[in-house]
Amino acid sequence: MAITKQNFEMWQGDDKRITFIITNADGTPKSLIGSSVEWTLYVSTVQQVVKSTISNNIIIIENKAQVILDSSDTVNIRAGQYEHECRVTDTSNITEVVSTGIVTLNNSRTR
């Protein structure tokens, strides 16, 4: 089951690390070893940023997935509110959305 309303804010052109702690339905830590993880930032149905373990933009440590955003990922995206979604595919090929929310991307005057 996805954890919803995982909202956060950042500024255009910032480096950011977003950590998701994944648990089983009973609340125990879910091992992500061998799993693939994808994180998407989007508005409506248009993807703005996509990160994944396949492209080495997400680090997995036990039951944590850390999304790595570099300044170049957001420097040219217009300020505003975007949705985000984190999806895990485990070693049994079971896919599940584990987190969703709103990202407020603030205008940076120094970029």
Side-chain angles (χ1 to χ4, degrees), residues 4-22:
T4 59
K5 299 183 182 174
Q6 298 299 295
N7 306 334
F8 65 93
E9 72 178 309
M10 62 182 292
W11 276 255
Q12 293 167 314
D14 276 0
D15 292 318
K16 183 110 175 139
R17 304 298 179 259
I18 310 156
T19 301
F20 297 94
I21 299 172
I22 312 302

Side-chain angles (χ1 to χ4, degrees), residues 30-65:
K30 178 177 180 129
S31 175
L32 297 177
I33 305 302
S35 297
S36 63
V37 179
E38 181 176 86
W39 180 84
T40 306
L41 177 73
Y42 59 96
V43 61
S44 188
T45 59
V46 180
Q47 296 179 343
Q48 300 294 317
V49 178
V50 177
K51 298 291 183 172
S52 70
T53 49
I54 295 168
S55 58
N56 296 320
N57 301 116
I58 297 179
I59 298 169
I60 292 176
I61 301 172
E62 297 173 1
N63 71 319
K64 296 179 182 102

